[in-house]
């Protein structure tokens, strides 16, 4: 005797081996034995065998017209055996019952299951709605398949192109477009951005990378609403200093300038003057909200997106020839030893004498001329005492660090001779050593200001945003902790308030400390344990990382474009480790498979076989190691 039973929503058959009150032991044609509940049994029969029965029933069921069956069925709940009697017009065989059972079970829109072998026809209105939904689903499936076929064949359907931005940024994974794109990606072995780019959703990889970053970080666009500045105090004292700034020729947001005077006792008095936008950008103001949303100026080859509106930059940038507010740190120090005798912080108005540019001075201001204290150096009266103290300050930091600072790597600036969004724009790589004297000098005084002002906030109990490094880990916090890599007891970012939001917040705190001294913690914009300061650190860290990653991505992209424009196929590189090497002619680290074991820094010759501007990789081949000279 055989049995037909239901298991996991499908019907199976087997030969009965034994029976109990509530269960049966059955054997399938494969020999597998199973214990099933009697409640799951639909019918028992003697012939044919279960596999033949199910095969014949399935074939016969497909011949039954569902609409006709629905009309024949009683409108109330019915049993399959009873309906089979009426439908076939004779006592139903096992095959008849199985055929009808499979057909009813396959059509849940027509017949609602009510128990073992029992069904009820769907009411007319519900049936029509269900059939409409099935038809809609069928048409959607056809449309989806048409989109898949088009994309795998190399054509971008208009319906996909229309929503391509959202498919990359915020895909609705229940949408037909996403399902079609996902299926096409699986068939082609490409990622969504690779496939959409190949199909022409964006004209080139540069457009895709810029779109992705701008849509995520600047969803409302990069422009500013018209901004009005508050009235600034006109009672600030005028600083009697001769100050100069030093920046790249492309810099328009001039944050810092330096002044120096030699005292009768041989010590020098250095002034570090920082633009003071915190006078206008107060906590919670409209200007503060703008800066907090952006967190930082974005720099990329050929373009930048400022953090602050142009009106504010124009009002506070330390442009030469006009008095502007500045927060000044005055340090009296011994230029031989680097010992600091006195520091003073004050808010004042300064007039920068001249905005100097690296591009114009780096070739003339060399270490050799500085060592000999060449009086014919440009701006020697300003430069030489600053340089002497900078070296002493650097030596003191090296003593704390336990080793000299390694800043001899070549850096590159990217200059585009055309639009920054056109990949065919010619690009130039302009090298400059990180240890160039002007760079080293300016960096040293910014470290001095950031360390001394961090100490000032800590001394007065005013919270600030510090950067520390201990055990190799760099982090931001509200505690004054050592920065081991720099070699200072505490360190804040405070010297770029026009370009970085953390510096702006710290300047808001510093203005309170400079004006109120020991009582500053009571009136500072951010009080001790202010929860918003912790939230700000977290938000800044994430957004600043995203901005930095994008800047590196753009620089890597333009490196690839430069190599292509220069038609460079062979060059030298320096081995780093494993399969990594750094090109000697561009700021680019590449992976080269098949390199032998080499010493770090070993020069090698490589061949450039191709490049991938989507993944920003070079296909390189190792040729040989360069013999030591």
């Amino acid at each position: 005797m055989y049995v037909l039973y239901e298991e996991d929503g499908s019907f199976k058959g087997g030969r009965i081996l034994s029976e109990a009150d509530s269960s049966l032991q059955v054997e399938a044609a494969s020999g597998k034995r199973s214990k099933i509940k009697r409640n799951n049994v639909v019918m028992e029969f003697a012939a044919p065998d279960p596999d033949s029965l199910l095969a014949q029933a399935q074939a016969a069921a497909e011949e039954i017209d569902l609409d006709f069956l629905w009309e024949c069925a009683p409108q109330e709940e019915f049993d399959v055996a009873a309906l089979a009697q009426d439908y076939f017009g004779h006592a139903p065989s096992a095959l008849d019952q199985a055929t009808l059972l499979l057909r009813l079970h396959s059509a849940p829109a027509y017949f609602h299951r009510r128990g073992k072998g029992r069904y009820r026809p769907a009411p007319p209105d519900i049936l029509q709605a269900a059939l409409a939904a099935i038809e809609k689903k069928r048409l959607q499936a056809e449309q989806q398949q048409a989109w898949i076929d088009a994309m795998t064949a190399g054509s971008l359907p208009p319906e996909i192109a229309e929503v391509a931005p959202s498919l990359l940024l915020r895909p609705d994974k229940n949408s037909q477009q996403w399902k079609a794109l996902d299926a096409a990606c699986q068939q082609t072995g490409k990622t969504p951005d690779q496939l959409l780019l190949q199909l022409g959703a964006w004209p080139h990889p540069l457009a895709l990378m810029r779109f992705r970053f701008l849509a995520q970080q600047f969803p409302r666009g990069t422009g500013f609403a018209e901004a009005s500045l508050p009235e600034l105090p006109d009672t600030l004292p005028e600083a009697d200093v001769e100050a100069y700034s030093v920046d790249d020729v492309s810099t328009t947001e001039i944050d810092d300038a330096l002044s120096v005077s030699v005292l009768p006792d041989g010590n020098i008095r250095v002034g570090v003057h920082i633009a003071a936008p915190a006078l206008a950008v107060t906590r919670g103001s409209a200007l503060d909200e703008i800066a907090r949303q952006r967190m930082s100026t974005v720099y990329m080859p050929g373009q930048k997106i400022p953090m602050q509106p142009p009106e504010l930059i124009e009002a506070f940038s330390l442009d030469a020839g006009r008095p502007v507010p500045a927060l000044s740190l005055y340090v009296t120090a011994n230029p031989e030893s680097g010992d600091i005798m006195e520091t003073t912080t004050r808010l004042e108005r300064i007039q920068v004498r001249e905005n100097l540019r690296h591009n114009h001075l780096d070739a003339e201001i060399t270490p050799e001329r500085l060592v000999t204290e060449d009086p014919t150096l440009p701006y020697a009266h300003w430069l030489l005492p600053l340089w002497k103290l900078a070296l002493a300050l650097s030596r003191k930091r090296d003593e704390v660090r336990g080793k000299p600072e390694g800043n001899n790597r070549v850096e590159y600036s990217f200059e585009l001779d055309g639009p920054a969004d056109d990949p065919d724009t010619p690009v130039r790589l302009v090298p400059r050593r990180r240890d160039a004297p002007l760079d080293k000098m300016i960096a040293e005084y910014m470290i001095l200001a950031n360390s001394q002002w961090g100490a000032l906030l800590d001394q007065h109990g005013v919270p600030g945003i510090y950067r520390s490094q201990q055990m190799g880990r760099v982090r931001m916090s509200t505690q004054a902790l050592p920065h081991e890599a720099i070699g200072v007891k505490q360190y804040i970012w405070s010297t770029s308030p026009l370009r970085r939001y953390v510096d702006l917040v710290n300047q808001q705190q510093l203005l309170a400390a400079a004006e109120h001294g020991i009582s500053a913690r009571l009136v500072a914009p951010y009080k001790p344990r202010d929860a918003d300061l912790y939230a700000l650190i977290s938000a800044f860290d994430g957004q600043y990382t995203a901005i930095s990653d994008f800047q590196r991505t753009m620089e890597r992209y333009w490196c690839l474009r430069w190599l292509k424009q220069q038609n460079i196929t062979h060059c030298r590189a320096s081995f780093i480790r494993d399969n990594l090497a750094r090109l000697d002619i561009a700021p680019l680290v590449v992976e080269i498979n098949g390199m032998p074991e080499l010493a770090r820094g070993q020069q090698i010759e490589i061949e450039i076989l191709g490049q991938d501007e989507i993944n920003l990789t070079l296909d390189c081949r190792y040729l040989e190691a360069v013999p030591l000279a």
Side-chain angles (χ1 to χ4, degrees):
M1 198 70 174
Y2 301 110
V3 66
L4 185 68
Y5 62 95
E6 186 176 353
E7 183 178 88
D8 297 329
S10 62
F11 296 103
K12 298 180 179 180
R15 182 168 63 88
I16 298 175
L17 298 177
S18 63
E19 298 185 50
D21 291 342
S22 59
S23 64
L24 295 85
Q25 187 82 13
V26 299
E27 183 182 52
S30 64
K32 179 182 177 182
R33 297 186 176 188
S34 304
K35 183 179 180 180
I36 64 171
K37 293 181 180 180
R38 189 172 290 276
N39 288 340
N40 291 339
V41 174
V42 178
M43 66 176 186
E44 295 182 12
F45 57 98
D49 65 85
D51 285 356
S52 298
L53 175 76
L54 287 172
Q56 295 175 41
Q58 186 61 55
E62 293 176 1
E63 302 296 324
I64 296 177
D65 183 271
L66 282 173
D67 290 317
F68 177 72
L69 183 61
W70 181 82
E71 291 178 0
C72 292
Q75 293 304 299
E76 64 278 0
E77 185 177 318
F78 61 86
D79 181 81
V80 172
L83 179 62
Q85 173 78 38
D86 294 339
Y87 183 82
F88 291 105
H90 56 76
S93 65
L95 178 59
D96 292 336
Q97 291 188 54
T99 299
L100 199 58
L101 176 67
L102 294 181
R103 192 52 169 158
L104 292 168
H105 196 74
S106 70
Y110 284 86
F111 300 97
H112 300 166
R113 190 168 181 270
R114 285 293 181 265
K116 182 182 64 175
R118 299 189 65 81
Y119 293 86
R120 180 176 181 176
D125 54 339
I126 294 178
L127 175 60
Q128 292 307 312
L131 292 178
I134 291 172
E135 178 64 11
K136 179 180 178 181
K137 188 174 182 179
R138 184 188 66 79
L139 293 175
Q140 288 177 340
E142 288 182 356
Q143 178 65 84
Q144 183 176 317
Q145 188 59 50
W147 290 339
I148 295 170
D149 294 342
M151 286 187 284
T152 54
S155 175
L156 182 64
E159 297 88 348
I160 303 294
E162 184 179 350
V163 296
S166 65
L167 290 176
L168 287 191
L169 295 180
R170 295 172 297 276
D172 176 3
K173 295 192 176 181
N174 290 319
S175 69
Q176 296 300 113
Q177 291 91 334
W178 169 259
K179 292 176 180 178
L181 176 63
D182 186 50
C185 288
Q186 292 182 28
Q187 291 186 25
T188 60
K190 299 182 182 298
T191 62
D193 53 351
Q194 289 174 332
L195 182 57
L196 288 172
L197 187 62
Q198 177 184 308
L199 296 176
W202 286 270
H204 41 70
L206 177 60
L208 173 58
M209 288 183 285
R210 286 172 59 91
F211 156 76
R212 192 195 299 274
F213 174 76
L214 294 175
Q216 290 173 340
Q217 300 299 326
F218 297 90
R220 299 178 183 176
T222 59
F224 293 94
E226 187 174 342
S228 57
L229 304 183
E231 196 166 322
L232 301 179
D234 57 4
T235 58
L236 296 179
E238 296 281 347
D240 184 18
V241 296
E242 182 181 339
Y244 297 88
S245 68
V246 184
D247 295 279
D248 290 330
V249 71
S250 60
T251 300
T252 56
E253 304 153 301
I254 300 176
D255 284 296
D256 56 86
L258 299 175
S259 65
V260 63
S261 56
V262 180
L263 304 179
D265 60 2
N267 292 327
I268 67 173
R269 186 169 183 259
V270 175
V272 182
H273 311 283
I274 305 299
L279 283 175
V281 188
T282 56
R283 181 183 179 183
S285 66
L287 289 169
D288 185 56
E289 288 301 317
I290 291 173
R292 184 163 181 163
Q293 287 174 5
R294 300 195 172 205
M295 290 293 185
S296 173
T297 293
V298 179
Y299 295 93
M300 65 189 94
Q303 185 184 4
K304 71 177 179 180
I305 305 171
M307 179 182 76
Q308 305 277 21
E311 298 91 340
L312 186 131
I313 294 172
E314 183 180 353
F316 287 97
S317 178
L318 301 183
D319 298 333
R322 65 189 183 101
V324 290
L327 185 63
S328 298
L329 171 69
Y330 290 98
V331 177
T332 303
N334 184 317
E336 301 291 340
S337 65
D339 293 333
I340 295 173
M341 276 74 78
E342 182 184 6
T343 64
T344 303
T345 297
R346 69 168 64 110
L347 179 63
E348 59 189 4
R349 196 178 298 272
I350 73 163
Q351 183 166 314
V352 173
R353 181 71 60 88
E354 191 175 346
N355 299 131
L356 307 180
R357 303 296 181 177
H358 286 290
N359 313 58
H360 303 151
L361 293 176
D362 279 351
E364 293 188 68
I365 300 176
T366 62
E368 295 75 21
R369 297 183 72 184
L370 287 167
V371 168
T372 60
E373 299 187 3
D374 185 348
T376 65
L377 272 171
Y379 309 97
H381 68 290
W382 172 80
L383 180 62
L384 290 175
L386 284 173
W387 175 251
K388 192 170 188 178
L389 177 59
L391 290 180
L393 293 172
S394 180
R395 286 195 297 270
K396 288 180 75 70
R397 290 194 303 106
D398 286 347
E399 290 174 7
V400 176
R401 287 158 34 83
K403 60 181 179 180
E405 206 163 18
N407 277 347
N408 58 354
R409 185 183 298 172
V410 175
E411 285 191 343
Y412 291 81
S413 58
F414 294 75
E415 297 183 5
L416 303 187
D417 298 325
D421 58 356
D422 184 353
D424 293 326
T425 291
V427 58
R428 288 178 286 120
L429 301 185
V430 182
R432 189 173 84 228
R433 291 180 64 88
R434 291 178 63 183
D435 60 353
L438 280 177
D439 272 320
K440 183 176 177 66
M441 185 184 80
I442 296 300
E444 199 61 52
Y445 287 111
M446 295 307 107
I447 291 172
L448 176 65
N450 286 325
S451 176
Q452 291 295 323
W453 275 339
L456 176 66
L457 292 180
D458 188 48
Q459 174 188 345
H460 293 314
V462 177
I465 301 175
Y466 292 84
R467 287 182 68 83
S468 64
Q469 186 197 49
Q470 294 176 293
M471 304 297 291
R473 181 190 175 197
V474 178
R475 68 188 188 98
M476 302 181 75
S477 71
T478 60
Q479 292 181 291
L481 298 171
H483 198 300
E484 295 172 350
I486 297 177
V488 293
K489 293 181 179 179
Q490 65 284 309
Y491 186 77
I492 62 173
W493 272 346
S494 61
T495 54
S496 296
L498 289 172
R499 296 180 274 184
R500 203 163 44 202
Y501 188 65
V502 163
D503 300 58
L504 182 63
V505 169
N506 280 331
Q507 188 177 88
Q508 292 170 354
Q509 301 295 87
L510 285 166
L511 289 178
E515 181 179 356
H516 299 282
I518 197 64
S519 62
R521 61 182 296 169
L522 303 176
V523 296
Y526 294 88
K527 308 298 187 294
R529 297 188 179 87
D530 191 324
D532 192 38
L533 201 57
Y534 298 104
L536 191 157
I537 291 173
S538 177
F540 176 84
D541 212 21
Q543 195 157 335
Y544 194 70
T545 298
I547 290 172
S548 299
D549 288 345
F550 175 69
Q551 291 172 181
R552 286 190 291 269
T553 295
M554 286 293 93
E555 290 178 358
R556 189 171 181 87
Y557 173 82
W558 284 107
C559 279
L560 298 186
R561 295 302 298 177
W562 179 79
L563 290 169
K564 194 170 189 177
Q565 291 172 8
Q566 301 297 317
N567 197 28
I568 294 173
T569 58
H570 293 76
C571 69
R572 287 189 176 183
S574 299
F575 178 76
I576 301 174
R577 58 179 171 78
D578 301 329
N579 291 327
L580 299 179
R582 179 179 289 106
L583 301 191
D584 288 359
I585 58 174
L588 197 63
V589 173
V590 297
E591 186 173 349
I592 308 170
N593 293 322
M595 282 197 294
E597 291 188 15
L598 299 169
R600 186 179 180 88
Q602 170 70 54
Q603 291 275 291
I604 60 174
E605 293 280 353
I606 66 171
E607 180 182 7
I608 299 174
L609 304 174
Q611 58 180 245
D612 182 346
E613 292 183 1
I614 300 177
N615 295 314
L616 299 178
T617 57
L618 277 183
D619 182 14
C620 300
R621 183 166 69 93
Y622 169 81
L623 297 178
E624 61 180 354
V626 178
L628 296 176

